[in-house]
Amino acid sequence: MSLLTHNLTAKTSQQTTQSMASKPSGPSRPLIRVSDFDFFYGEKQALFDINMEMRENEVTAFIGPSGCGKSTLLRCINRMNDLVEVARIGRGKIEVNDADIYDPRVDTIELRKRVGMVFQKSNPFPKSIYENVIYGLRIQGINKKSVLDETVERCLKGAALWEEVRDRLDTSGMSLSGGQQQRLCIARALAVEPDILLMDEPCSALDPVATAKVEELIHSLKDHYTIVIVTHNMQQAARVSDKTAFFYLGKLIEMGKTDEIFMSPKNEQTEAYISGRFG
Amino acid sequence: MSQKSNLKKLKRNPSAGFHAKPTRAKSTERAISWMFRLGTYFILLCASVIFLTIIYKGSQTVFQASFPFVNIEFLTEAPQTLHVFEYEGEQMELSDSNFRVFEEERGVEIDSTTYAYSGGGIWPCIVGTVLLVIGAMTIALTLGVLSAIFLSEYSKPGKTLNAIRLSILNLAGVPSVVFGIFGLGFFVLAGPIFSFSPFEGYDIRFWPLPIYFGFVGWNVSLIAGCFTLAFMVLPIVISASEESLRAIPQGLREASLALGASKWTAIRTNVLPYAMPGILTSSIIGVARVAGETAPIMFTAAYAMRDQLPWQGLEKWSDFFFQGVMALPYHIYVVSAKIPQNEYTERMQYGTAFVFLVIVAGIALSSILLRIRMRKKYRW
Ligand SMILES: Nc1ncnc2c1ncn2[C@@H]1O[C@H](COP(=O)(O)OP(=O)(O)OP(=O)(O)O)[C@@H](O)[C@H]1O
Ligand SMILES: [Mg+2]
């Protein structure tokens, strides 16, 4: 379960193996570390000097008003921003499992297998439900029927969708309802067996029932995955997350245990935002 | 007046409160709308005159009143000389080969008036055009889709990209005869030839490999015609492909990449399959259009007359591509402009035009059916 890409040095991957061996004992270790991170879209700076850690098997929520850079930071963690032409890192680094992910030797394909992503707008492929789930395996050349069948069942169960679709795995993923589509996208991400799951407002297009299902799901996924979730819904952040990070105008204003952030925020901007006085 | 009573009045008479009499503005408006309408009707009229003439006159050649109702000879024979003569008081018309059989059977020699190209049929032209279309389509799709993928998925936007796009657009405006000359210069006279044995005029031998290479030209040949036509459709194929690729939601690409796909894997599995219906239909229609051009094949591929079909009398397989072919548009040109005109050639002209029209319409129709089928398969 090494997070490291093939291209990274042998030394680091040894360390990883050791740390993995001693895993469950003690408080969870930081899995994602962002240090002094500046990020630009062309001339426009979107992130300013971000420093934070996200720990293994914890749910971290990103909150903050629109345009404050939550999605930007999230998309930096699996290098999705590489797709953006003008995107550029000014300073600092992001480490995943102690490996700098912007090291030129990093294989982004391996990185993205380790760091899965669920998008704000559910985007199932126009293929069958079955093919949607196993897409990540197919492209790795895994075609063994028994493995695929097992994966489909396990991941759909993991995403709390199995009961609803078990009889119609052949129908198009696009034929599902919005909430089902979003859970299908989660199942699809689970099939690749990532260590980290990044979710960008996964419930923004869902009704309360579907939202509750996804939230339940996040709870159950916590044991096996490290989750980072962007949300505009304060209640949701409070319900699902262990840690909360509040961003404002591209800066990380405050980060801490969710209880503490919501009960007794240290920063007055955080307080104002949480109590709904702006943003 | 209160709002309520106004509403009541409106309900009773919807135009109440407006002018009942036509005003000046209104009549101008009507006149202008008629102008547009007449323009459209005029075009419609011209189009129907063209189509109906071809269908009316052409079907007289292609169809006949007696069994089997289709003029089999016209569709399956090569063009021949037509013999018109009188035999035992009867006026007869026979194509050259039938005329000889006729003479032989009766053991007589008959004086006949001959009309070049007016007997037989147009089968070799149909074959040639179909081969040109398939070849041009293959080449244009390969090159066009490759470059469209590069332009819309891989290249970085900027001045160079704009320059490339602009030049591709300009390519679409180049007159077809210029493409013909280009094909003559580049393919017919200077097309590159590779061979395992030395040939006349080769420049390079890839020593120690037994491969010889030289720009000795492809002569007037099927392949030269295919390439020339392909270059003509390329702008259509590229812009259609780019448009189809752009229409694929970015979310599909991102989702694939986020699942650990390489860029090419994402394109291959989640972009191209969904863009393909659009690419294919536009390209097929584009090819159908250039297939109708005479100028580009006139210097590069078309023979006015050739006895053998492309697959007959080949010494080696590559000869298939390096031989000239007959083609429908060029045949129409030949029978309409290169030989003396009379009632017999007119039948040939309209018959050929009719068959050509049917083929082009068939290609367009099949592309539309293809699109409908593929759209059903891949819907998002
Ligand atoms: N592709 C892009 N090119 C240029 N600027 C961008 C791009 N994406 C985002 N930005 C800018 O970066 C800033 C941060 O955007 P980001 O999407 O990260 O905000 P956000 O916190 O996720 O907002 P929201 O809650 O509305 O999703 C915004 O000012 C936005 O205009
Ligand atoms: Mg966002």
Side-chain angles (χ1 to χ4, degrees):
Chain A
M1 268 250 291
S2 161
L3 246 171
L4 283 163
T5 58
H6 296 320
N7 297 352
L8 292 181
T9 54
K11 185 177 146 261
T12 0
S13 59
Q14 239 170 18
Q15 282 176 351
T16 321
T17 331
Q18 282 164 9
S19 61
M20 293 304 283
S22 62
K23 181 184 150 191
S25 58
S28 60
R29 69 203 179 86
L31 195 53
I32 306 169
R33 186 184 291 117
V34 184
S35 344
D36 309 328
F37 195 71
D38 283 352
F39 188 85
F40 295 82
Y41 288 112
E43 290 303 302
K44 184 177 177 296
Q45 185 160 4
L47 294 175
F48 297 83
D49 196 29
I50 307 289
N51 283 287
M52 66 196 300
E53 281 179 1
M54 281 150 268
R55 291 179 172 273
E56 202 168 19
N57 297 349
E58 277 187 355
V59 178
T60 308
F62 287 3
I63 60 171
S66 193
C68 67
K70 309 178 294 291
S71 301
T72 301
L73 181 57
L74 201 70
R75 290 165 59 89
C76 284
I77 300 175
N78 67 348
R79 289 189 56 173
M80 226 45 202
N81 270 336
D82 289 13
L83 301 188
V84 179
E85 222 61 65
V86 293
R88 163 172 79 81
I89 296 168
R91 198 169 61 95
K93 60 182 176 181
I94 297 180
E95 289 161 297
V96 171
N97 215 356
D98 297 329
D100 181 356
I101 61 165
Y102 282 95
D103 189 306
R105 288 167 302 175
V106 162
D107 180 355
T108 49
I109 294 176
E110 282 308 310
L111 173 72
R112 289 178 191 145
K113 280 191 215 159
R114 303 281 110 239
V115 187
M117 185 158 206
V118 176
F119 296 83
Q120 172 170 7
K121 198 164 159 286
S122 64
N123 49 5
F125 302 128
K127 306 179 196 293
S128 69
I129 294 174
Y130 188 94
E131 287 297 326
N132 258 287
V133 178
I134 59 170
Y135 179 82
L137 302 186
R138 278 247 196 264
I139 59 175
Q140 292 174 35
I142 300 170
N143 283 314
K144 208 166 156 217
K145 184 95 172 57
S146 56
V147 178
L148 299 182
D149 286 347
E150 185 271 326
T151 307
V152 169
E153 182 167 345
R154 177 169 48 80
C155 297
L156 285 176
K157 276 181 178 159
L161 189 60
W162 176 249
E163 291 307 324
E164 287 155 70
V165 300
R166 59 186 304 173
D167 311 319
R168 47 170 178 148
L169 295 175
D170 294 336
T171 54
S172 169
M174 313 291 293
S175 67
L176 298 176
S177 75
Q180 289 172 327
Q181 285 189 9
Q182 195 58 292
R183 277 177 284 150
L184 179 61
C185 292
I186 295 175
R188 186 173 71 181
L190 298 183
V192 190
E193 298 186 0
D195 304 324
I196 299 170
L197 212 48
L198 309 174
M199 301 180 157
D200 195 348
E201 301 182 45
C203 303
S204 64
L206 305 187
D207 69 35
V209 178
T211 302
K213 283 211 167 130
V214 174
E215 282 180 11
E216 241 170 68
L217 177 58
I218 293 172
H219 256 296
S220 66
L221 292 176
K222 211 167 87 169
D223 299 340
H224 303 283
Y225 303 89
T226 305
I227 295 174
V228 183
I229 179 171
V230 173
T231 178
H232 278 286
N233 180 329
M234 293 305 115
Q235 286 80 20
Q236 181 170 64
R239 281 193 298 265
V240 301
S241 69
D242 303 302
K243 300 277 172 62
T244 296
F246 171 65
F247 292 84
Y248 185 54
L249 298 178
K251 299 193 177 75
L252 174 62
I253 304 296
E254 189 172 354
M255 177 169 182
K257 287 212 173 73
T258 299
D259 299 344
E260 286 168 17
I261 293 276
F262 280 91
M263 298 303 185
S264 49
K266 294 188 184 69
N267 187 293
E268 55 191 86
Q269 283 169 321
T270 317
E271 215 246 299
Y273 182 71
I274 288 169
S275 57
R277 267 184 281 134
F278 79 90
Chain B
M1 206 184 286
S2 81
Q3 270 201 333
K4 219 173 184 176
S5 70
N6 228 340
L7 200 69
K8 248 185 202 160
K9 206 172 163 194
L10 263 178
K11 264 185 189 156
R12 231 180 307 122
N13 176 6
S15 68
F18 304 102
H19 289 283
K21 271 188 287 178
T23 60
R24 211 186 129 114
K26 220 171 166 185
S27 40
T28 322
E29 184 66 18
R30 179 170 296 170
I32 286 178
S33 97
W34 264 101
M35 197 172 77
F36 292 129
R37 187 178 298 232
L38 283 179
T40 312
Y41 287 171
F42 180 69
I43 296 170
L44 215 63
L45 182 77
C46 293
S48 19
V49 166
I50 294 174
F51 278 110
L52 290 178
T53 315
I54 291 177
I55 291 170
Y56 175 69
K57 295 204 173 173
S59 54
Q60 288 175 347
T61 312
V62 178
F63 300 110
Q64 58 195 33
S66 57
F67 186 81
F69 304 109
V70 177
N71 186 344
I72 303 281
E73 189 190 17
F74 184 70
L75 293 178
T76 58
E77 295 277 319
Q80 295 179 15
T81 301
L82 185 74
H83 294 258
V84 179
F85 56 94
E86 215 167 282
Y87 185 74
E88 294 178 349
E90 216 178 315
Q91 174 85 7
M92 300 201 59
E93 293 167 16
L94 282 180
S95 65
D96 198 42
S97 53
N98 294 345
F99 179 70
R100 287 195 195 162
V101 174
F102 189 84
E103 274 186 327
E104 225 164 86
E105 273 174 1
R106 286 163 184 75
V108 287
E109 259 190 41
I110 303 168
D111 261 346
S112 65
T113 327
T114 57
Y115 298 97
Y117 288 101
S118 299
I122 53 167
W123 174 237
C125 311
I126 299 176
V127 168
T129 289
V130 168
L131 288 178
L132 282 169
V133 166
I134 294 175
M137 186 81 207
T138 315
I139 297 164
L141 266 185
T142 315
L143 290 177
V145 171
L146 283 180
S147 65
I149 290 179
F150 170 73
L151 291 177
S152 77
E153 306 284 333
Y154 284 94
S155 65
K156 300 242 185 304
K159 279 209 182 95
T160 337
L161 190 66
N162 290 343
I164 293 176
R165 287 232 168 84
L166 196 67
S167 50
I168 289 172
L169 271 182
N170 280 331
L171 206 61
V174 174
S176 59
V177 68
V178 175
F179 276 100
I181 299 292
F182 163 79
L184 177 69
F186 269 74
F187 304 128
V188 176
L189 300 177
I193 295 277
F194 290 88
S195 174
F196 286 119
S197 51
F199 55 89
E200 204 183 318
Y202 75 86
D203 305 325
I204 303 171
R205 170 170 183 189
F206 288 101
W207 202 84
L209 301 173
I211 295 177
Y212 300 83
F213 172 79
F215 289 102
V216 294
W218 296 341
N219 298 324
V220 171
S221 59
L222 179 60
I223 188 166
C226 289
F227 268 93
T228 310
L229 288 178
F231 274 78
M232 269 193 82
V233 245
L234 263 181
I236 302 175
V237 174
I238 293 175
S239 45
S241 307
E242 271 203 84
E243 209 168 288
S244 308
L245 289 172
R246 252 197 310 272
I248 306 300
Q250 185 68 11
L252 289 184
R253 294 179 182 86
E254 291 195 339
S256 319
L257 292 174
L259 290 169
S262 66
K263 191 160 184 169
W264 167 235
T265 309
I267 293 172
R268 184 169 49 82
T269 56
N270 269 320
V271 179
L272 262 189
Y274 310 126
M276 223 49 209
I279 296 178
L280 277 183
T281 16
S282 314
S283 308
I284 291 175
I285 289 176
V287 167
R289 196 156 67 220
V290 300
E293 295 274 1
T294 313
I297 54 170
M298 191 148 74
F299 316 119
T300 57
Y303 281 167
M305 186 58 209
R306 188 164 187 270
D307 288 329
Q308 286 173 318
L309 287 166
W311 50 82
Q312 286 170 339
L314 298 179
E315 275 173 32
K316 46 185 197 306
W317 63 267
S318 60
D319 285 350
F320 182 82
F321 300 102
F322 291 99
Q323 60 178 342
V325 290
M326 297 186 72
L328 288 166
Y330 190 62
H331 189 66
I332 295 176
Y333 166 67
V334 169
V335 294
S336 323
K338 295 288 250 192
I339 55 172
Q341 298 295 295
N342 51 55
E343 50 175 313
Y344 302 105
T345 50
E346 197 195 85
R347 289 204 309 228
M348 274 303 172
Q349 292 160 17
Y350 280 106
T352 314
F354 178 74
V355 170
F356 193 28
L357 211 64
V358 170
I359 290 180
V360 171
I363 294 176
L365 190 72
S366 64
S367 82
I368 291 167
L369 292 180
L370 186 78
R371 166 152 61 187
I372 294 172
R373 263 194 61 172
M374 289 177 89
R375 278 275 156 84
K376 248 186 218 147
K377 201 163 145 204
Y378 299 117
R379 213 201 309 253
W380 66 86

Tab-separated table of all heavy atoms in Angstrom, chain A residues 208-241:
chain	number	residue	atom	x	y	z
A	208	PRO	N	-31.645	16.188	0.513
A	208	PRO	CA	-31.234	15.825	1.883
A	208	PRO	C	-31.092	14.325	2.113
A	208	PRO	O	-30.187	13.900	2.834
A	208	PRO	CB	-32.362	16.393	2.748
A	208	PRO	CG	-32.933	17.487	1.932
A	208	PRO	CD	-32.787	17.085	0.506
A	209	VAL	N	-31.948	13.513	1.488
A	209	VAL	CA	-31.869	12.072	1.709
A	209	VAL	C	-30.577	11.518	1.117
A	209	VAL	O	-29.819	10.792	1.765
A	209	VAL	CB	-33.086	11.358	1.081
A	209	VAL	CG1	-32.972	9.864	1.277
A	209	VAL	CG2	-34.372	11.897	1.687
A	210	ALA	N	-30.312	11.917	-0.138
A	210	ALA	CA	-29.092	11.453	-0.783
A	210	ALA	C	-27.870	11.972	-0.034
A	210	ALA	O	-26.877	11.264	0.139
A	210	ALA	CB	-29.066	11.919	-2.236
A	211	THR	N	-27.964	13.217	0.428
A	211	THR	CA	-26.859	13.792	1.187
A	211	THR	C	-26.591	12.967	2.438
A	211	THR	O	-25.441	12.638	2.747
A	211	THR	CB	-27.196	15.246	1.594
A	211	THR	OG1	-27.450	15.987	0.408
A	211	THR	CG2	-26.061	15.881	2.360
A	212	ALA	N	-27.657	12.606	3.128
A	212	ALA	CA	-27.486	11.808	4.340
A	212	ALA	C	-26.790	10.492	4.018
A	212	ALA	O	-25.918	10.043	4.765
A	212	ALA	CB	-28.849	11.540	4.976
A	213	LYS	N	-27.161	9.909	2.893
A	213	LYS	CA	-26.539	8.637	2.500
A	213	LYS	C	-25.047	8.810	2.262
A	213	LYS	O	-24.226	7.996	2.692
A	213	LYS	CB	-27.195	8.105	1.217
A	213	LYS	CG	-28.535	7.474	1.472
A	213	LYS	CD	-28.808	6.360	0.490
A	213	LYS	CE	-29.997	5.543	0.949
A	213	LYS	NZ	-30.981	5.338	-0.086
A	214	VAL	N	-24.711	9.873	1.541
A	214	VAL	CA	-23.298	10.100	1.258
A	214	VAL	C	-22.539	10.384	2.553
A	214	VAL	O	-21.415	9.919	2.749
A	214	VAL	CB	-23.125	11.238	0.233
A	214	VAL	CG1	-21.662	11.589	0.050
A	214	VAL	CG2	-23.724	10.851	-1.099
A	215	GLU	N	-23.178	11.120	3.459
A	215	GLU	CA	-22.513	11.425	4.732
A	215	GLU	C	-22.272	10.161	5.543
A	215	GLU	O	-21.195	9.953	6.100
A	215	GLU	CB	-23.347	12.423	5.537
A	215	GLU	CG	-23.198	13.842	5.024
A	215	GLU	CD	-24.032	14.830	5.820
A	215	GLU	OE1	-24.548	14.448	6.894
A	215	GLU	OE2	-24.178	15.975	5.367
A	216	GLU	N	-23.295	9.314	5.574
A	216	GLU	CA	-23.148	8.024	6.242
A	216	GLU	C	-21.966	7.269	5.656
A	216	GLU	O	-21.152	6.677	6.365
A	216	GLU	CB	-24.404	7.193	5.974
A	216	GLU	CG	-25.206	6.790	7.189
A	216	GLU	CD	-26.517	6.199	6.701
A	216	GLU	OE1	-26.481	5.115	6.109
A	216	GLU	OE2	-27.570	6.861	6.890
A	217	LEU	N	-21.939	7.320	4.336
A	217	LEU	CA	-20.881	6.635	3.602
A	217	LEU	C	-19.508	7.157	4.030
A	217	LEU	O	-18.578	6.388	4.282
A	217	LEU	CB	-21.117	6.875	2.116
A	217	LEU	CG	-20.106	6.308	1.149
A	217	LEU	CD1	-20.018	4.814	1.347
A	217	LEU	CD2	-20.553	6.623	-0.272
A	218	ILE	N	-19.391	8.473	4.108
A	218	ILE	CA	-18.101	9.059	4.497
A	218	ILE	C	-17.696	8.541	5.872
A	218	ILE	O	-16.534	8.193	6.104
A	218	ILE	CB	-18.190	10.600	4.485
A	218	ILE	CG1	-18.385	11.071	3.047
A	218	ILE	CG2	-16.947	11.231	5.086
A	218	ILE	CD1	-18.676	12.542	2.905
A	219	HIS	N	-18.678	8.449	6.767
A	219	HIS	CA	-18.399	7.915	8.094
A	219	HIS	C	-17.808	6.524	8.029
A	219	HIS	O	-16.819	6.208	8.677
A	219	HIS	CB	-19.700	7.874	8.924
A	219	HIS	CG	-19.752	8.970	9.928
A	219	HIS	ND1	-18.859	9.047	10.965
A	219	HIS	CD2	-20.577	10.038	10.040
A	219	HIS	CE1	-19.128	10.112	11.674
A	219	HIS	NE2	-20.163	10.743	11.130
A	220	SER	N	-18.439	5.685	7.193
A	220	SER	CA	-17.984	4.299	7.157
A	220	SER	C	-16.662	4.162	6.414
A	220	SER	O	-15.917	3.209	6.637
A	220	SER	CB	-19.047	3.422	6.510
A	220	SER	OG	-19.180	3.779	5.163
A	221	LEU	N	-16.366	5.096	5.536
A	221	LEU	CA	-15.119	5.004	4.771
A	221	LEU	C	-13.905	5.427	5.591
A	221	LEU	O	-12.776	5.120	5.269
A	221	LEU	CB	-15.197	5.891	3.522
A	221	LEU	CG	-16.178	5.470	2.445
A	221	LEU	CD1	-16.206	6.501	1.324
A	221	LEU	CD2	-15.811	4.105	1.892
A	222	LYS	N	-14.193	6.137	6.662
A	222	LYS	CA	-13.134	6.751	7.455
A	222	LYS	C	-12.131	5.729	7.983
A	222	LYS	O	-10.945	6.027	8.133
A	222	LYS	CB	-13.800	7.468	8.631
A	222	LYS	CG	-13.077	8.665	9.098
A	222	LYS	CD	-13.957	9.459	10.013
A	222	LYS	CE	-13.818	8.962	11.436
A	222	LYS	NZ	-14.465	9.879	12.387
A	223	ASP	N	-12.606	4.524	8.254
A	223	ASP	CA	-11.706	3.521	8.824
A	223	ASP	C	-10.599	3.134	7.860
A	223	ASP	O	-9.534	2.696	8.284
A	223	ASP	CB	-12.510	2.262	9.185
A	223	ASP	CG	-13.560	2.577	10.220
A	223	ASP	OD1	-13.397	3.618	10.899
A	223	ASP	OD2	-14.541	1.822	10.333
A	224	HIS	N	-10.866	3.256	6.587
A	224	HIS	CA	-9.885	2.767	5.618
A	224	HIS	C	-9.254	3.867	4.793
A	224	HIS	O	-8.258	3.638	4.125
A	224	HIS	CB	-10.554	1.771	4.663
A	224	HIS	CG	-11.198	0.622	5.371
A	224	HIS	ND1	-10.458	-0.415	5.871
A	224	HIS	CD2	-12.486	0.386	5.697
A	224	HIS	CE1	-11.285	-1.267	6.467
A	224	HIS	NE2	-12.518	-0.802	6.371
A	225	TYR	N	-9.856	5.022	4.807
A	225	TYR	CA	-9.371	6.070	3.922
A	225	TYR	C	-9.148	7.356	4.692
A	225	TYR	O	-9.774	7.602	5.717
A	225	TYR	CB	-10.375	6.354	2.799
A	225	TYR	CG	-10.715	5.145	1.971
A	225	TYR	CD1	-11.768	4.311	2.325
A	225	TYR	CD2	-9.976	4.839	0.834
A	225	TYR	CE1	-12.070	3.189	1.567
A	225	TYR	CE2	-10.273	3.729	0.076
A	225	TYR	CZ	-11.323	2.908	0.443
A	225	TYR	OH	-11.611	1.804	-0.315
A	226	THR	N	-8.246	8.140	4.126
A	226	THR	CA	-8.087	9.496	4.620
A	226	THR	C	-8.896	10.376	3.687
A	226	THR	O	-8.721	10.298	2.476
A	226	THR	CB	-6.608	9.895	4.577
A	226	THR	OG1	-5.883	8.921	5.303
A	226	THR	CG2	-6.394	11.266	5.155
A	227	ILE	N	-9.780	11.178	4.262
A	227	ILE	CA	-10.721	11.905	3.415
A	227	ILE	C	-10.572	13.409	3.588
A	227	ILE	O	-10.442	13.899	4.712
A	227	ILE	CB	-12.169	11.475	3.735
A	227	ILE	CG1	-12.346	9.997	3.369
A	227	ILE	CG2	-13.178	12.332	2.986
A	227	ILE	CD1	-13.669	9.415	3.771
A	228	VAL	N	-10.552	14.104	2.474
A	228	VAL	CA	-10.602	15.561	2.511
A	228	VAL	C	-11.868	15.972	1.771
A	228	VAL	O	-12.085	15.553	0.635
A	228	VAL	CB	-9.379	16.193	1.821
A	228	VAL	CG1	-9.430	17.708	1.956
A	228	VAL	CG2	-8.095	15.647	2.393
A	229	ILE	N	-12.705	16.752	2.412
A	229	ILE	CA	-13.977	17.111	1.793
A	229	ILE	C	-14.171	18.620	1.812
A	229	ILE	O	-13.938	19.273	2.827
A	229	ILE	CB	-15.148	16.382	2.497
A	229	ILE	CG1	-16.481	16.774	1.874
A	229	ILE	CG2	-15.146	16.647	3.998
A	229	ILE	CD1	-17.634	15.940	2.377
A	230	VAL	N	-14.544	19.154	0.666
A	230	VAL	CA	-14.881	20.572	0.581
A	230	VAL	C	-16.383	20.682	0.746
A	230	VAL	O	-17.128	19.923	0.137
A	230	VAL	CB	-14.484	21.154	-0.786
A	230	VAL	CG1	-14.984	22.582	-0.929
A	230	VAL	CG2	-12.990	21.101	-0.975
A	231	THR	N	-16.833	21.591	1.581
A	231	THR	CA	-18.280	21.736	1.714
A	231	THR	C	-18.654	23.174	2.055
A	231	THR	O	-17.899	23.913	2.670
A	231	THR	CB	-18.840	20.775	2.772
A	231	THR	OG1	-20.233	21.002	2.894
A	231	THR	CG2	-18.177	20.970	4.118
A	232	HIS	N	-19.844	23.546	1.573
A	232	HIS	CA	-20.394	24.853	1.927
A	232	HIS	C	-21.402	24.729	3.052
A	232	HIS	O	-21.970	25.725	3.487
A	232	HIS	CB	-21.082	25.476	0.707
A	232	HIS	CG	-20.140	26.145	-0.217
A	232	HIS	ND1	-19.559	27.354	0.072
A	232	HIS	CD2	-19.627	25.771	-1.410
A	232	HIS	CE1	-18.750	27.697	-0.902
A	232	HIS	NE2	-18.769	26.736	-1.817
A	233	ASN	N	-21.607	23.498	3.454
A	233	ASN	CA	-22.648	23.232	4.427
A	233	ASN	C	-22.009	23.042	5.800
A	233	ASN	O	-21.332	22.060	6.055
A	233	ASN	CB	-23.394	21.977	3.958
A	233	ASN	CG	-24.514	21.591	4.875
A	233	ASN	OD1	-24.447	21.826	6.087
A	233	ASN	ND2	-25.541	20.988	4.315
A	234	MET	N	-22.228	24.023	6.673
A	234	MET	CA	-21.570	24.007	7.988
A	234	MET	C	-21.980	22.776	8.793
A	234	MET	O	-21.153	22.127	9.422
A	234	MET	CB	-21.956	25.248	8.800
A	234	MET	CG	-21.427	26.541	8.241
A	234	MET	SD	-19.664	26.494	8.033
A	234	MET	CE	-19.572	26.624	6.279
A	235	GLN	N	-23.291	22.457	8.727
A	235	GLN	CA	-23.760	21.286	9.473
A	235	GLN	C	-23.052	20.038	8.979
A	235	GLN	O	-22.670	19.180	9.764
A	235	GLN	CB	-25.271	21.101	9.317
A	235	GLN	CG	-26.110	22.095	10.088
A	235	GLN	CD	-26.211	23.422	9.351
A	235	GLN	OE1	-25.980	23.479	8.139
A	235	GLN	NE2	-26.510	24.486	10.064
A	236	GLN	N	-22.893	19.991	7.664
A	236	GLN	CA	-22.243	18.817	7.118
A	236	GLN	C	-20.802	18.720	7.618
A	236	GLN	O	-20.362	17.657	8.054
A	236	GLN	CB	-22.237	18.874	5.592
A	236	GLN	CG	-21.596	17.675	4.970
A	236	GLN	CD	-21.804	17.637	3.479
A	236	GLN	OE1	-21.323	18.507	2.756
A	236	GLN	NE2	-22.537	16.651	3.024
A	237	ALA	N	-20.090	19.823	7.556
A	237	ALA	CA	-18.715	19.823	8.051
A	237	ALA	C	-18.698	19.354	9.500
A	237	ALA	O	-17.888	18.517	9.903
A	237	ALA	CB	-18.118	21.218	7.927
A	238	ALA	N	-19.628	19.877	10.280
A	238	ALA	CA	-19.672	19.500	11.700
A	238	ALA	C	-19.984	18.019	11.868
A	238	ALA	O	-19.431	17.360	12.741
A	238	ALA	CB	-20.728	20.346	12.408
A	239	ARG	N	-20.881	17.509	11.027
A	239	ARG	CA	-21.286	16.115	11.166
A	239	ARG	C	-20.187	15.137	10.753
A	239	ARG	O	-19.937	14.147	11.428
A	239	ARG	CB	-22.523	15.832	10.305
A	239	ARG	CG	-23.822	16.305	10.916
A	239	ARG	CD	-25.008	15.714	10.163
A	239	ARG	NE	-25.031	16.132	8.766
A	239	ARG	CZ	-25.741	17.168	8.309
A	239	ARG	NH1	-26.471	17.884	9.137
A	239	ARG	NH2	-25.719	17.486	7.035
A	240	VAL	N	-19.540	15.388	9.622
A	240	VAL	CA	-18.680	14.336	9.086
A	240	VAL	C	-17.201	14.471	9.431
A	240	VAL	O	-16.471	13.489	9.349
A	240	VAL	CB	-18.799	14.203	7.545
A	240	VAL	CG1	-20.214	13.888	7.137
A	240	VAL	CG2	-18.278	15.451	6.863
A	241	SER	N	-16.740	15.654	9.790
A	241	SER	CA	-15.289	15.820	9.812
A	241	SER	C	-14.702	15.746	11.214
A	241	SER	O	-15.364	16.017	12.212
A	241	SER	CB	-14.913	17.149	9.156
A	241	SER	OG	-15.343	18.215	9.963
